[in-house]
Amino acid sequence: MPLRRWIAVCVPCALFAVAGAPDVASCQSVLDRPPNLSGGWLGPTGTLQFNFVHRFGVGDPPTRKVTNSPTFLLSYRLPAPLLLGFNYATSSDIAPSFPNEWEFFARYGNGPIALQGGYNQAAESFDAELTAAKTFGAVRAMAVGRFLSNGYTSDTSRYAVGAGATLRLSRWFALAGDITTLLDRRDSEDIAWGAGLQIEIPYTPHSLSLQVTNTNTATLQGVSRGIDQVRGGFEFTIPFTLSRYFGGRGRSKAVEGGGAAAAQGGEGAAVAMKAVAFVPSRIEITAGTTVTWTNNDPLVHTVTADDGSFDSGQIEPTKTFSRTFTQPGEYAVHCTPHPFMKAVIVVRQP
Ligand SMILES: [Cu+2]
């Protein structure tokens, strides 16, 4: 029915109409998406992602049997804004004869829009999702439209629309919620909903969602349909930056500064990055001095000018970054992954 198709497309487009700024690509962790929406998440370039969604429900008395339905996601973010991956879920209820569900997908994100297409092997269904997302201060709002060519092995095309938001409480915490409905819901199908406390785990690349929902598996089909049970659960995200294993060593560039010559006075200044701070956080040097930052933490840091005039890129643990300051002035810098890491370099006339 064309009308359903239009609804599935137009709900995210309505949000797109008020959007504009690039948003989708910057979405990284569970703090940027609620339990049942991808939020257009792509992950960092060159990163292999392992995300683990675990949901469980408690059965009726007297046995109160706990049923578990984990969904594993493995994906890889290409240099383009394209994510390739699959979900593997067990205890799936998408297709009665296939309790183990595979979903292979590609997701493309650009600006405020992300488009996902894939194949659900259990339902033998081509499934797609259009996401629009927009950040308004501490709130990130998103809307989705979904198309399931063979929804729940019913031999019919199904459509779903949904919306969700995250509210960032601090750098480490966010609240998240979502609601999704299949169009022309059947009697056995409830409106899908989810609520989560989203947690960034300090000084690690991991994030954690503690969630309550009425969905079972975390594939597109799974998150589009509510079931008659409240489920608890969590999601844990684990990125593997492949360049740290293969090649890519010494990625922190040693030379910066727009072709400036090495320190004329032969003088250098050293700054440590340790315990997630620049030490010292303020240095005064004369023009021509080369400053070398050494990462003494087991984390990746950056030295990024607040005004964007220079950026070290990722400085791996034990690696250094140097820059020669030729122009007098005050240079405020921070670390991109840890914005509370701040420092000032004061450059005086020689
Ligand atoms: Cu840092």
Side-chain angles (χ1 to χ4, degrees):
M1 196 183 211
L3 179 63
R4 277 181 231 136
R5 206 168 306 167
W6 280 111
I7 292 172
V9 169
C10 285
V11 165
C13 284
L15 191 72
F16 178 51
V18 299
D23 185 73
V24 157
S26 63
C27 165
Q28 304 294 356
S29 76
V30 295
L31 273 72
D32 299 309
R33 56 189 164 89
N36 293 311
L37 271 54
S38 74
W41 170 86
L42 297 175
T45 301
T47 299
L48 187 71
Q49 189 81 26
F50 176 66
N51 290 358
F52 177 40
V53 179
H54 185 89
R55 288 175 180 156
F56 63 91
V58 181
D60 294 328
T63 57
R64 299 184 191 279
K65 178 176 165 54
V66 172
T67 53
N68 299 289
S69 46
T71 304
F72 304 96
L73 174 142
L74 200 64
S75 66
Y76 182 72
R77 164 72 193 274
L78 298 171
L82 186 65
L83 184 76
L84 299 177
F86 66 82
N87 279 300
Y88 175 68
T90 63
S91 303
S92 167
D93 56 358
I94 299 306
S97 50
F98 287 94
N100 304 325
E101 183 185 355
W102 290 91
E103 180 189 49
F104 303 90
F105 69 89
R107 185 183 298 152
Y108 174 80
N110 196 359
I113 288 290
L115 187 61
Q116 173 177 331
Y119 182 72
N120 188 307
Q121 178 262 349
E124 298 183 328
S125 175
F126 291 96
D127 298 344
E129 178 184 58
L130 178 65
T131 298
K134 173 73 176 164
T135 300
F136 307 88
V139 174
R140 183 171 196 261
M142 59 215 89
V144 297
R146 296 187 185 131
F147 165 71
L148 316 171
S149 75
N150 183 17
Y152 315 100
T153 55
S154 61
D155 287 328
T156 55
S157 296
R158 302 297 303 273
Y159 298 86
V161 294
T166 60
L167 169 64
R168 205 175 261 262
L169 304 174
S170 72
R171 168 157 179 75
W172 311 116
F173 293 104
L175 298 175
D178 60 69
I179 188 158
T180 304
T181 182
L182 288 158
L183 303 183
D184 294 326
R185 262 186 301 116
R186 316 276 155 85
D187 287 343
S188 61
E189 298 171 341
D190 289 350
I191 291 175
W193 56 266
L197 172 64
Q198 320 295 70
I199 304 167
E200 194 91 57
I201 301 179
Y203 315 130
T204 78
H206 306 296
S207 61
L208 176 71
S209 167
L210 302 174
Q211 52 190 242
V212 182
T213 181
N214 69 340
T215 60
N216 187 36
T217 58
T219 58
L220 282 187
Q221 299 222 11
V223 295
S224 296
R225 179 173 72 173
I227 60 174
D228 189 22
Q229 187 181 48
V230 175
R231 319 210 84 205
F234 65 84
E235 177 171 358
F236 189 58
T237 67
I238 307 167
F240 295 88
T241 304
L242 294 188
S243 61
R244 291 182 199 153
Y245 300 95
F246 310 107
R249 282 277 160 209
R251 286 184 70 187
S252 46
K253 284 162 269 170
V255 180
E256 279 282 335
Q264 274 121 26
E267 201 184 336
V271 177
M273 305 165 87
K274 61 183 181 189
V276 202
F278 292 106
V279 183
S281 62
R282 180 186 172 92
I283 56 169
E284 297 193 13
I285 57 173
T286 54
T289 302
T290 299
V291 179
T292 299
W293 286 265
T294 302
N295 183 356
N296 294 324
D297 275 337
L299 309 162
V300 169
H301 293 305
T302 72
V303 181
T304 305
D306 287 5
D307 64 6
S309 58
F310 63 92
D311 188 349
S312 65
Q314 296 199 340
I315 307 172
E316 302 285 339
T318 75
K319 301 293 178 186
T320 64
F321 166 73
S322 297
R323 184 177 194 276
T324 303
F325 290 85
T326 55
Q327 298 299 319
E330 281 203 12
Y331 297 83
V333 298
H334 65 274
C335 168
T336 304
H338 313 110
F340 50 86
M341 283 177 67
K342 291 177 179 298
V344 175
I345 302 102
V346 180
V347 182
R348 303 205 183 284
Q349 294 282 5

